[in-house]
Amino acid sequence: MKYTNKHNVPQEIINAINNDSYTKGEAIISVTGLLQPPRIRLLAKEHSDSLTVDVSDEIWKLLGQSVHNILERANENNKDTITEQRMFSVVKDWTISGQTDSIDIKDNILKDYKVTSVWSIVSAQTEGKAEWEQQLNLYAYLYRKNTGKNIDGLNIIAIARDWNKNQYMRNGGNYPPSPISVIEVRLWTDEEQEEFVNQRVSIHQDAEIGYLINNDLPLCTDAERWRRKDTYRVEKKGRKSAVRVLDTQDEADEFMEGHKDKKQMNIVFAKGECIRCANYCDVAQFCNQNKEESKNGE
Amino acid sequence: MANKEITYKEVWDKLSKIDCSDKVEKKMNLSYLSWAWGWGTIMEHYPQASYLFYQGESDVPYVQFPDGTAEVRCRIAIDNLSREMTLSVMDNRNNAIQNPSSRQVNDTKMRCLVKCLAMYGLGHYIYAGEDVPRDADKEEKPVSELKNVEEVKKESKNMAKVSKPVETPVENPTPNEYGSEEWARLFCESFLKLAKLQKTKEEMTSYYKSNTKDLTTLREKFPKIKEMLDGELKSIVNSLKEV
């Protein structure tokens, strides 16, 4: 990985970013890797030397690490808590590993700390967040395989990096009342965990073999690409923003039909953008799926 | 803390010294060691041992060759140790049988199990054509003198034709630790040799998949060698396109 420094981030911060001690241990794949789309994982592996990231984009990761380190240090001698425990298991001949942030021995709850946005927290609390649920259940699976014991509960301890008291006072509603939120995550049955881990390992194994032998990578799904839904924009002559943005052509037609200015209006179809590909995928520049779809105007 | 892991040497030293002369039965011109006694002996020393017979895609416990003959495959694991063995389904004149019956396959499975036990040392001296176990103090015979090496090599070669797992190399039965550098070298050699016999990408995919366990061991212990192996394999795959 190569870093650029477009925003003159001070050298001490760059040193800290370079000092990331993360390792997946003696394993073929980590929980994080398992949850990644195989296309991203394999392209990142292949292009690891030429990947370029700006240091400013790594700041939140650094903040996340610092929270983990401080918590680990603070709980070193706490007998009721196990922190930063790396666990291993063999699934379909692959050694997988995962590191839990914290396990509360007394209440038998596995916890993972996330430094994230208020928006993510609200979204997780209202709609649930599949990635978090999958991640924590994989840790629970590893814990069971390593200790023979089941976990009783899963919690995300979410720290909102952009929480603002004024916003809370103004918005109320779903806005978290504090910069730290405890989100309960659904604990799967042992069978659900087994099925999921086997499925993820198979997906990655097949992808690796397919890439090696057929030079073919599985396509990322819309969900993996964080694709926004397609929309129909009702636009009016002389106005920059859309009058209404609707989900279907029928809705847009109906809206326009009943509008007094319908003669000055037209409907523009807007293909849903893939947020991850456009803004958050480190390997988008090497990805033929992304290139192909960009070429087709998606 | 986990207990100390057992080693191939430790198992070999223990099992190869066991005298099984009075357990050998003679039928026609062949010597047989009772599987029940063999397995019982393993259980006495390593009760955690387990065995597995290859299960074919068509649910038959053997691999069938284009000429209709068949071989069974067995793997015995003792903790982290693993040994594999193959055996053709044969008549009493050592000729491979075409379309074997369930009885013939079943008999061969148990013989294969006994043969696999010899890879850990139990009754190995019988396969080596000796009457009694070697004395630990005596010098070990060189590898090339073992009678079954060529046979095993031949079997390994045949396996390529059906895109099935490469056997753990047995050229040097002085216990080469599974996962050692020497093992890695031998595995790569035989893996690539057999890869060259695959005719289509589908065959290659199936061949690669069937070796997942050993390829994973290679990747975990020698990632650079694994990368080189994948590079070589890509060249072989590219040549498939030209065919």
Side-chain angles (χ1 to χ4, degrees):
Chain A
M1 171 97 74
K2 287 176 200 157
Y3 286 113
T4 53
N5 187 8
K6 292 177 188 164
H7 304 283
N8 290 325
V9 171
Q11 188 58 44
E12 309 85 77
I13 304 277
I14 297 174
N15 293 344
I17 288 166
N18 283 325
N19 195 33
D20 183 0
S21 59
Y22 173 80
T23 162
K24 65 178 185 298
E26 297 284 312
I28 294 284
I29 194 164
S30 65
V31 163
T32 316
L34 271 178
L35 294 175
Q36 267 184 335
R39 169 174 283 264
I40 295 182
R41 178 172 163 266
L42 290 172
L43 285 176
K45 199 170 146 194
E46 186 181 353
H47 298 285
S48 60
D49 293 340
S50 38
L51 283 181
T52 307
V53 173
D54 195 72
V55 282
S56 61
D57 293 333
E58 299 287 278
I59 297 300
W60 297 125
K61 209 190 272 178
L62 186 65
L63 194 62
Q65 281 172 30
S66 61
V67 169
H68 283 101
N69 289 343
I70 291 163
L71 288 167
E72 186 183 9
R73 202 174 58 199
N75 287 290
E76 254 172 7
N77 300 317
N78 184 349
K79 284 179 187 155
D80 292 335
T81 308
I82 302 172
T83 53
E84 306 289 335
Q85 173 102 346
R86 184 157 286 282
M87 297 174 294
F88 298 86
S89 181
V90 176
V91 178
K92 290 176 172 275
D93 291 324
W94 271 19
T95 306
I96 64 168
S97 78
Q99 185 162 311
T100 52
D101 286 344
S102 162
I103 297 167
D104 180 336
I105 306 276
K106 223 168 108 195
D107 294 332
N108 204 26
I109 291 176
L110 192 151
K111 300 172 187 174
D112 196 70
Y113 291 87
K114 304 273 182 211
V115 177
T116 187
S117 64
V118 165
W119 181 86
S120 278
I121 295 170
V122 172
S123 153
Q125 281 175 328
T126 52
E127 296 155 33
K129 203 169 171 79
E131 302 97 284
W132 290 357
E133 190 170 313
Q134 291 164 353
Q135 185 191 1
L136 265 63
N137 275 285
L138 285 181
Y139 290 150
Y141 166 87
L142 285 171
Y143 182 75
R144 176 161 52 84
K145 291 289 170 186
N146 281 257
T147 63
K149 295 176 201 156
N150 274 321
I151 280 291
D152 289 335
L154 302 173
N155 284 173
I156 290 281
I157 314 297
I159 297 168
R161 61 190 180 212
D162 53 351
W163 188 86
N164 181 303
K165 196 168 187 173
N166 288 335
Q167 289 271 4
Y168 168 61
M169 304 290 269
R170 263 203 308 271
N171 294 2
N174 289 329
Y175 199 93
S178 134
I180 184 160
S181 306
V182 178
I183 303 170
E184 281 186 31
V185 171
R186 185 173 82 84
L187 178 66
W188 299 346
T189 62
D190 293 356
E191 292 74 28
E192 282 178 298
Q193 289 172 356
E194 300 270 353
E195 193 187 334
F196 182 72
V197 72
N198 278 298
Q199 185 196 56
R200 289 310 299 176
V201 170
S202 289
I203 286 172
H204 283 282
Q205 285 181 336
D206 289 348
E208 281 197 3
I209 297 172
Y211 197 36
L212 182 71
I213 293 171
N214 300 311
N215 202 27
D216 190 25
L217 284 170
L219 297 175
C220 285
T221 62
D222 281 352
E224 287 169 339
R225 305 176 77 199
W226 306 343
R227 182 191 280 283
R228 284 202 178 137
K229 60 184 179 188
D230 296 345
T231 52
Y232 295 81
R233 297 165 57 84
V234 182
E235 294 183 348
K236 190 180 166 189
K237 220 173 173 182
R239 183 175 156 159
K240 276 184 185 170
S241 60
V243 180
R244 277 293 282 276
V245 179
L246 294 152
D247 289 347
T248 65
Q249 177 81 48
D250 286 350
E251 283 174 334
D253 285 341
E254 199 183 325
F255 174 81
M256 209 169 84
E257 199 51 43
H259 204 282
K260 60 180 171 61
D261 298 329
K262 71 173 177 184
K263 283 189 180 156
Q264 292 164 283
M265 287 176 167
N266 65 320
I267 298 167
V268 177
F269 171 71
K271 182 88 183 158
E273 193 189 5
C274 294
I275 305 296
R276 187 181 209 162
C277 306
N279 302 313
Y280 296 99
C281 182
D282 293 339
V283 294
Q285 56 180 313
F286 306 108
C287 175
N288 56 6
Q289 181 183 12
N290 180 49
K291 282 180 191 160
E292 197 62 34
E293 295 194 5
S294 304
K295 205 167 71 187
N296 295 337
E298 292 191 14
Chain B
M1 279 294 285
N3 293 332
K4 186 179 159 286
E5 287 188 344
I6 54 170
T7 63
Y8 283 102
K9 186 176 186 322
E10 192 183 317
V11 176
W12 180 270
D13 286 349
K14 187 177 280 179
L15 297 181
S16 64
K17 290 190 185 71
I18 296 174
D19 188 351
C20 15
S21 323
D22 59 341
K23 308 293 173 198
V24 178
E25 295 166 24
K26 296 264 183 193
K27 279 185 196 167
M28 304 297 284
N29 289 324
L30 302 172
S31 300
Y32 293 94
L33 193 57
S34 149
W35 69 264
W37 176 82
W39 188 250
T41 306
I42 286 285
M43 286 294 100
E44 269 174 39
H45 296 279
Y46 304 102
Q48 72 276 36
S50 62
Y51 65 86
L52 188 74
F53 288 103
Y54 168 83
Q55 187 70 42
E57 280 157 15
S58 55
D59 281 344
V60 290
Y62 55 80
V63 176
Q64 194 148 28
F65 293 85
D67 65 356
T69 61
E71 74 175 22
V72 301
R73 294 168 179 177
C74 177
R75 173 178 286 168
I76 298 177
I78 305 175
D79 289 344
N80 55 318
L81 310 181
S82 174
R83 287 283 190 218
E84 293 164 14
M85 187 42 69
T86 63
L87 190 62
S88 299
V89 185
M90 293 176 287
D91 61 18
N92 52 20
R93 283 175 298 187
N94 276 1
N95 293 320
I97 299 167
Q98 286 181 321
N99 300 318
S101 68
S102 61
R103 169 66 200 266
Q104 288 164 327
V105 171
N106 203 45
D107 286 350
T108 308
K109 278 169 75 179
M110 302 328 280
R111 284 174 202 144
C112 190
L113 177 73
V114 174
K115 198 175 165 195
C116 198
L117 290 175
M119 297 305 288
Y120 280 110
L122 186 66
H124 175 267
Y125 70 93
I126 295 170
Y127 287 90
E130 294 162 16
D131 295 329
V132 288
R134 289 177 203 174
D135 188 311
D137 298 327
K138 281 184 190 166
E139 198 185 333
E140 288 280 309
K141 281 194 176 182
V143 170
S144 55
E145 286 183 40
L146 292 173
K147 278 183 178 175
N148 62 343
V149 167
E150 283 310 310
E151 184 192 344
V152 174
K153 269 188 189 170
K154 212 161 110 189
E155 285 169 352
S156 275
K157 230 178 206 174
N158 285 341
M159 285 200 302
K161 293 175 186 160
V162 288
S163 306
K164 296 299 173 191
V166 174
E167 288 294 301
T168 302
V170 292
E171 276 88 343
N172 182 2
T174 306
N176 262 332
E177 291 274 340
Y178 180 78
S180 67
E181 202 164 349
E182 180 62 4
W183 168 84
R185 192 185 62 75
L186 290 171
F187 172 75
C188 288
E189 265 177 31
S190 46
F191 180 85
L192 290 171
K193 209 180 276 178
L194 301 186
K196 284 176 185 157
L197 297 174
Q198 311 306 315
K199 290 190 179 67
T200 63
K201 286 184 176 180
E202 288 73 29
E203 273 183 25
M204 189 69 89
T205 302
S206 150
Y207 170 65
Y208 195 93
K209 273 187 182 176
S210 64
N211 283 286
T212 302
K213 183 178 183 290
D214 291 336
L215 287 164
T216 304
T217 303
L218 184 71
R219 181 172 169 178
E220 283 176 343
K221 303 214 178 255
F222 305 100
K224 291 277 171 216
I225 298 180
K226 172 69 169 50
E227 273 175 34
M228 281 161 59
L229 180 85
D230 284 349
E232 295 266 344
L233 193 75
K234 272 192 173 175
S235 317
I236 298 171
V237 169
N238 287 339
S239 71
L240 281 179
K241 281 179 193 162
E242 289 157 20
V243 171

